[in-house]
Each structure stands twice: as structure tokens, then as C-alpha cells.
Amino acid sequence: MILVQEEDFDVDVLYKRLLHANKTGAVAMFVGLVRQFSDLPNDECSFELEHYPGMTERNLQAIVDEANQRWALIDVCVVHRVGRLSVDDQIVFVGVSASHRAEAFQACDFIMDYLKSRAAFWKKETQGAKSHWVEANEKDQHSLARWSK
């Protein structure tokens, strides 16, 4: 399941979608949140995510398809929010079920690394009256590079 939406998501509901009787041996999940990214305590921070409907979903499906080629996965769920988000709001859910924990952990990590660097989202951070578009940083690129080995 791949969803791009403005609405918040329920982690418990998504977790239960990943469970498949007599098959699932492990579920690995990641939930990303908007953090306070200003050092000034009174600065109001927000995060805005934009995307191209259709293109973004195809892009996410390609990432999930590659994860399925690398590992024997039972199910994958990716939910990514768009629109304006505030500190502590949930941004992204990635959940992976597999027969074994190593596959679930690795696939979840892989999907998140690709989401951070290759997914078709545009991110803008706003701190008080200042805003800027966020680009993939060197740390994100380094994380992504480890999967090409």
C-alpha cells in the first residue's frame, strides 16, 4: 500500500495491515516526525511538502518494487503526508513485514534512505518569517550510497 495524503495516519491501523496470519515473522516500522529545527525557542517552525500527484506515487512504487526484489518481503506500507505540517506532526510511515527480522529491518532502512534522497517531494522549512527549500544533504547521499554496493 502506498498513500500520499494530507491527512494524518494511525500507526496501529497501518501496523495491523502488515500482519498476515501464519506468514509474518517480523514487522519493522519507521515513523518520521516534524522536529523543532530552530535554535530560537520562540521561533514557530513548520514544514511544507509538495508533490506531483501520480508521478510521486509511481516514484514510491519503484522504490518499493526494488525493495521487494532485494528481500523476500510479505508486505510493504508507505504513507507520506503532504501539505503544511507543524512540529511533532507525523510526516511518513514505512512498514515492512517479512518472515525474518533482518529482511524487515534492512528493507525498511533501504526504503527510508531512498525516500529521503530520491522520492519526488519538495520540502520547505519555515522558521518564523524565514523559509527555504530543503535539498538532500551529504549525509543522506552517503546513506543512499551504501545500498549500491
Side-chain angles (χ1 to χ4, degrees):
M1 177 175 76
I2 295 173
L3 297 172
V4 177
Q5 62 189 38
E6 289 188 21
E7 303 80 29
D8 199 5
F9 51 83
D10 184 328
V11 173
D12 189 51
V13 169
L14 297 172
Y15 165 72
K16 287 176 181 169
R17 281 188 53 96
L18 292 165
L19 301 177
H20 296 269
N22 302 319
K23 290 184 183 179
T24 303
V27 174
M29 298 181 301
F30 174 84
V31 178
L33 307 170
V34 178
R35 68 182 180 284
Q36 177 73 18
F37 43 84
S38 173
D39 293 333
L40 303 173
N42 294 329
D43 259 358
E44 186 174 319
C45 294
S46 65
F47 198 71
E48 192 166 346
L49 289 135
E50 295 182 5
H51 77 300
Y52 285 119
M55 182 180 90
T56 302
E57 290 83 355
R58 283 190 302 278
N59 182 239
L60 295 175
Q61 187 63 58
I63 294 167
V64 169
D65 289 348
E66 186 166 344
N68 276 305
Q69 289 173 6
R70 290 175 179 239
W71 296 279
L73 306 178
I74 295 169
D75 205 351
V76 177
C77 177
V78 176
V79 179
H80 206 299
R81 293 182 65 196
V82 293
R84 188 176 180 89
L85 302 171
S86 299
V87 172
D88 295 329
D89 284 348
Q90 298 180 130
I91 303 171
V92 62
F93 174 90
V94 173
V96 176
S97 61
S99 296
H100 304 284
R101 66 180 163 87
E103 294 167 324
F105 276 126
Q106 290 171 349
C108 190
D109 197 22
F110 169 87
I111 292 167
M112 269 313 304
D113 281 345
Y114 270 71
L115 281 174
K116 287 279 291 178
S117 300
R118 298 278 169 89
F121 292 100
W122 293 268
K123 304 163 194 151
K124 183 167 62 170
E125 290 181 349
T126 301
Q127 300 176 25
K130 297 179 185 178
S131 64
H132 69 278
W133 291 98
V134 177
E135 296 183 27
N137 60 39
E138 187 175 324
K139 184 178 175 185
D140 294 336
Q141 295 302 322
H142 177 71
S143 292
L144 186 64
R146 68 192 169 112
W147 298 108
S148 62
K149 296 176 184 174

